Amino acid sequence: MADVNQLITDFYRVATNREFTRDFNFRVLSINTGGVSNVTFDQDDLVYVKTATLPERAITNVPVPYMGLNFNIPGNATYPGSEAYSLTFYADAQSKIRQKFEQWSQAVFDDSSSTGNYFAPKQTAIIDLVTLDNQMNKQAQYQLVGVSVRSVGPLTYNIAEGVGNTIEFTSTISYHYWRKLS
């Protein structure tokens, strides 16, 4: 018998007990602009989310040299990718969802008057994300705090060779940090 308890029977036992998460076991529950504009996203908008990811968190490394050896000490928390968190949406026929992101973007900075609400996003500006099990029950909830729109992606049409495929667009958001709620 092997010294390491990682045989195929062990894998099978653990896999059938714990199962696997699937690439569709994820939802965006809510997007709140924090009062930047009168733009609101509801469930009918969010059902059009095609792809999103759980955000990343990292602890910086602080090297402390002593007698030629670096000791690696944990530093502060960072949120890699927080400056460019992407949500990809299916585009609805009237482009209502994309127009909401356009309005939010204009409210943050209006280039016609060089004015806008480009202050630090409020704590109420949040995106709620959930992971699900295979029966669609919530497993964990994450909240991105201090969200603000950064870009509204294009809609690309293919007039000459299009076959009727759906169109999608990506909106990029920034956030300050995330917290796990459950």
Side-chain angles (χ1 to χ4, degrees):
M1 187 70 150
D3 289 337
V4 178
N5 194 23
Q6 292 180 356
L7 303 173
I8 195 159
T9 54
D10 297 305
F11 175 80
Y12 183 62
R13 176 185 50 79
V14 172
T16 56
N17 188 28
R18 292 187 185 174
E19 267 298 335
F20 293 94
T21 192
R22 309 303 173 121
D23 57 2
F24 54 79
N25 290 50
F26 184 78
R27 295 292 184 275
V28 177
L29 279 186
S30 65
I31 299 175
N32 186 328
T33 65
V36 168
S37 63
N38 49 358
V39 173
T40 57
F41 294 89
D42 60 31
Q43 280 303 113
D44 287 348
D45 298 324
L46 299 179
V47 78
Y48 273 76
V49 174
K50 180 181 177 188
T51 61
T53 60
L54 276 181
E56 183 178 353
R57 184 174 191 268
I59 303 297
T60 59
N61 189 62
V62 180
V64 178
Y66 183 76
M67 296 182 69
L69 179 65
N70 274 343
F71 289 86
N72 295 306
I73 309 300
N76 65 317
T78 62
Y79 297 87
S82 63
E83 73 285 354
Y85 179 78
S86 295
L87 294 165
T88 301
F89 287 83
Y90 289 110
D92 59 286
Q94 293 80 31
S95 296
K96 289 181 180 182
I97 301 167
R98 188 173 186 280
Q99 289 171 17
K100 288 182 179 192
F101 281 101
E102 290 171 354
Q103 291 170 337
W104 188 8
S105 176
Q106 285 291 325
V108 171
F109 187 83
D110 184 348
D111 48 359
S112 67
S113 62
S114 295
T115 61
N117 191 347
Y118 43 88
F119 307 107
K122 297 179 181 178
Q123 284 186 318
T124 56
I126 58 170
I127 295 177
D128 282 308
L129 312 167
V130 292
T131 60
L132 306 166
D133 66 14
N134 291 337
Q135 279 69 50
M136 306 307 270
N137 298 310
K138 180 173 77 168
Q139 295 301 298
Q141 182 171 347
Y142 298 84
Q143 190 171 75
L144 308 182
V145 178
V147 300
S148 179
V149 67
R150 288 296 175 263
S151 71
V152 182
L155 292 176
T156 304
Y157 294 90
N158 189 348
I159 298 165
E161 298 176 11
V163 295
N165 289 330
T166 58
I167 296 176
E168 58 191 56
F169 73 95
T170 300
S171 183
T172 305
I173 308 292
S174 71
Y175 63 92
H176 300 309
Y177 62 93
W178 60 263
R179 57 184 166 217
K180 188 173 178 189
L181 300 180
S182 64

